[in-house]
């Protein structure tokens, strides 16, 4: 059976839409940093609205209307409203907590908002700026300085300007629409009370790797009344709880089953979560999505027989039943209107209908479940330089030796990284898998990783996972080409690296883990750099804390890099250079006339 295209499209839409009746959200409470010494005043344009929430006047908002706005210069920034946290990569982010007189309404008023005073003001405790790095970690958080100015244009367009304590000027220009956190308006009639019941039957739909989430989606339906086990239609009055749950994938969808665990609300499709319930507009229709409970009040055959409640918080605990293939449920949830939905089910046997995409595709993997990497036995990683290919430098990192140098039992991971031309070492950052295989050469780019592929003699290479079979010397029993995911690379002190691994094979099974330790460079350092032709200086010497370039030509410059490729110093090569500020370690010195030298500072 083919995957429901409607269901997939609706889940895509949900990610970009606010819930219609959400009751609250959490603001981030920053830890402000002292201003840095900026070389010059910077101006940043913020183009993306990460979050925008409106809360009408109440005691909790100091009897003022509250507008919470988060903007960024990158579209990858995402706001978790339940936790008040932001996920972003290489992005500038700013949060502004604005207040206006009670009764102003959901439309942000024009004017000048001052810090903590006046009829229009902003709360300095929740207004800040920060920069997220390539690894996704936030940097220093700076308080706002001065006024926030809001100007309104045509078609709900706005220009919002402000500055932070570090001297950076920010401007957001675009439309603004605030999610009303006080409204409870819905299209479908709502259950006006708490619900507590005992469920007596169930059925489920297995959707598989929905949205390429690398988790298995299963829609679990519990009933306390008579129902059709194939369609889920309620035949009598009672309740139907629909749980949009995510857990592991199944290589054979016909083997799909419900996985015991404690499921909590989330919108990230991760294992042991359920998607919250909501109404969304789809091609002019209002449809239900996520986890909700439906009540059939009467049996007349009309839409008025039913009312609903949308689950937005709480837990669903699933355990194995007394008989094989049966399951117990304990439901303790809350709706978007604050009503409780509780209930139990005991020894429920499910008819599971496979609606996943059964279209066969070739996948080089024999995994049948997720892999949590065990790399503790590996004492060092090995790095190889494969040259410049398709405009980028290619480095391969082996965690574990296929020839058994690190032992003949355990996990092996080969990772193939793409960097800028001229890099002699693997730079720190977050590397994403290419969107297609290595034959699609236009997809090569720095901070990408090559998918798994076969080399010229039929061996598995590229980014790939393998596992040595226990008790047999260097015999692989598990393997997989890696097709998606990311690896965080962080250079540590003393030529050590840390790898944070979040990968997946072609079936969607996740391969996760972490390793840190020393690396062994199996290539000549100079091969990773683009040499410049011309006369080279005679020598580069390090005498104590002074770097000397003997024979440097007039106007020649030098640059010093860490083993990870980070530029740490630039200077005139014709003069002695003080390097006392550099930590002990290995560095690469490169001059503008093409000299490349490795030095060790002790």
């Amino acid at each position: 059976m083919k995957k429901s295209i409607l269901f997939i499209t609706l889940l895509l839409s949900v990610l970009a839409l606010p819930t219609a009746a959400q009751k609250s959200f959490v603001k981030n409470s920053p830890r402000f940093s002292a201003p840095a010494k900026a070389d010059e005043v910077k101006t940043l344009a913020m183009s993306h609205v990460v979050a925008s929430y409106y809360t009408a006047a109440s005691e909790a908002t100091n009897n003022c209307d509250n507008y919470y706005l988060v903007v960024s210069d990158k579209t990858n920034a995402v706001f978790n409203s339940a936790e008040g946290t932001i996920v972003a990569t290489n992005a500038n982010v700013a949060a502004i907590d604005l207040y206006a007189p009670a009764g102003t309404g959901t439309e942000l008023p024009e004017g000048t908002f001052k810090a903590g005073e006046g009829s229009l003001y902003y709360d300095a405790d929740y207004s800040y700026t920060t920069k997220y790095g390539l690894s996704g970690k936030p940097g220093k958080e700076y308080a706002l300085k001065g006024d926030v100015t809001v100007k309104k244009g045509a078609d709900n367009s706005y220009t919002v300007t402000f500055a932070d304590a570090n001297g950076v000027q920010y401007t957001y220009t675009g439309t603004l629409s605030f999610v009303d956190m006080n409204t409870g308006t819905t299209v479908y009639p709502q259950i006006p009370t708490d619900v507590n019941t005992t469920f007596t039957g169930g059925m489920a739909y297995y959707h598989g790797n929905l949205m390429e989430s690398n988790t298995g989606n299963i829609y679990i339906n519990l009933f306390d009344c008579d129902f059709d086990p194939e369609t889920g239609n309620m035949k009598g009055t009672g309740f139907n709880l629909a749980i949009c749950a995510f857990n592991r994938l199944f290589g054979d969808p016909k083997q799909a089953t419900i996985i015991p665990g404690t499921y909590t609300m989330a919108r990230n499709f991760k294992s042991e979560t359920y998607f919250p319930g909501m109404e969304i507009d789809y091609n002019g229709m209002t449809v239900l999505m996520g986890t909700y409970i439906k009540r059939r009040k009467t049996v007349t055959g009309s839409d008025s027989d039913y009312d609903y409640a949308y689950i937005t918080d709480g837990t669903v605990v699933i355990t194995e039943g007394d008989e094989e293939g049966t399951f117990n449920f304990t439901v303790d949830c809350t709706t978007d209107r604050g009503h409780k939905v509780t209930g139990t089910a005991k020894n429920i046997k499910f008819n599971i209908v496979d609606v996943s995409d059964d279209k066969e595709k070739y996948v080089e993997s024999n995994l049948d479940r997720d892999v949590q990497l065990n790399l503790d036995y590996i004492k060092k990683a090995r790095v190889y330089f494969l040259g410049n290919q398709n405009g980028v430098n290619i480095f391969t990192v082996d965690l574990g030796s296929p020839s058994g140098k690190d032992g003949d039992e355990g996990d092996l991971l080969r990772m193939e990284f793409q960097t800028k031309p001229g890099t002699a070492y693997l730079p720190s950052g977050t590397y994403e898998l290419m969107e297609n295989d290595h034959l699609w050469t236009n997809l090569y780019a720095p901070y990408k990783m090559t998918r798994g592929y076969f080399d010229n003699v039929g061996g598995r290479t590229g980014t790939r996972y393998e596992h040595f079979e226990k008790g047999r010397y260097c015999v692989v029993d598990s393997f997989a080409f890696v097709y998606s995911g990311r690896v965080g690379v962080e250079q540590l002190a003393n030529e050590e690296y840390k790898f944070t691994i979040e990968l997946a094979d072609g079936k969607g099974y996740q391969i996760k883990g972490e390793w840190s330790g020393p690396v062994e460079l199996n290539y000549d350092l100079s091969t990773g750099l683009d040499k410049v032709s011309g006369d080279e200086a005679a020598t580069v010497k390090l005498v104590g804390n002074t770097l000397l370039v003997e024979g440097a030509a007039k106007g020649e410059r030098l640059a010093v890099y860490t083993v990870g490729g980070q530029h740490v110093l630039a200077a005139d090569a014709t003069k002695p250079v003080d390097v006392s500020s550099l930590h002990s370690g290995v560095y690469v010195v490169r001059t503008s006339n093409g000299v490349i030298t490795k030095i060790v500072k002790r």
Side-chain angles (χ1 to χ4, degrees), residues 117 164 171 173 175-176 211 237 287 350 377 388 409 443 493:
E117 61 181 15
D164 66 16
T171 301
T173 302
T175 59
L176 284 178
M211 307 297 300
T237 60
V287 296
F350 286 84
Y377 75 99
N388 188 290
E409 181 182 328
L443 295 178

Side-chain angles (χ1 to χ4, degrees), residues 55-66 99-104 119 121:
T55 306
S58 67
E59 290 185 4
T61 62
N62 297 320
N63 294 316
C64 295
D65 286 359
N66 180 209
Y99 289 82
T104 303
S119 60
Y121 71 96

Side-chain angles (χ1 to χ4, degrees), residues 329-379:
F329 289 76
T330 301
V331 179
D332 185 7
C333 293
T334 305
T335 73
D336 58 351
R337 296 196 171 192
H339 297 304
K340 297 293 293 183
V341 175
T342 55
T344 58
K346 191 169 180 62
N347 296 326
I348 304 296
K349 190 173 183 62
F350 286 84
N351 172 38
I352 299 177
V353 181
D354 174 27
V355 291
S356 63
D357 188 352
D358 61 359
K359 181 179 179 181
E360 292 294 332
K361 65 176 181 178
Y362 175 75
V363 175
E364 180 66 11
S365 171
N366 69 350
L367 300 182
D368 61 359
R369 62 183 59 247
D370 295 343
V371 174
Q372 184 63 44
L373 292 167
N374 181 5
L375 305 172
D376 293 342
Y377 75 99
I378 299 170
K379 303 306 179 185

Side-chain angles (χ1 to χ4, degrees), residues 30 147 186 208 224 278 303 348 351 362 366 388 542 551 556 580 593:
D147 300 335
T186 60
D224 67 356
M278 61 189 70
D303 290 341
I348 304 296
N351 172 38
Y362 175 75
N366 69 350
N388 188 290
L542 180 62
E556 188 171 359
S580 59
N593 282 354

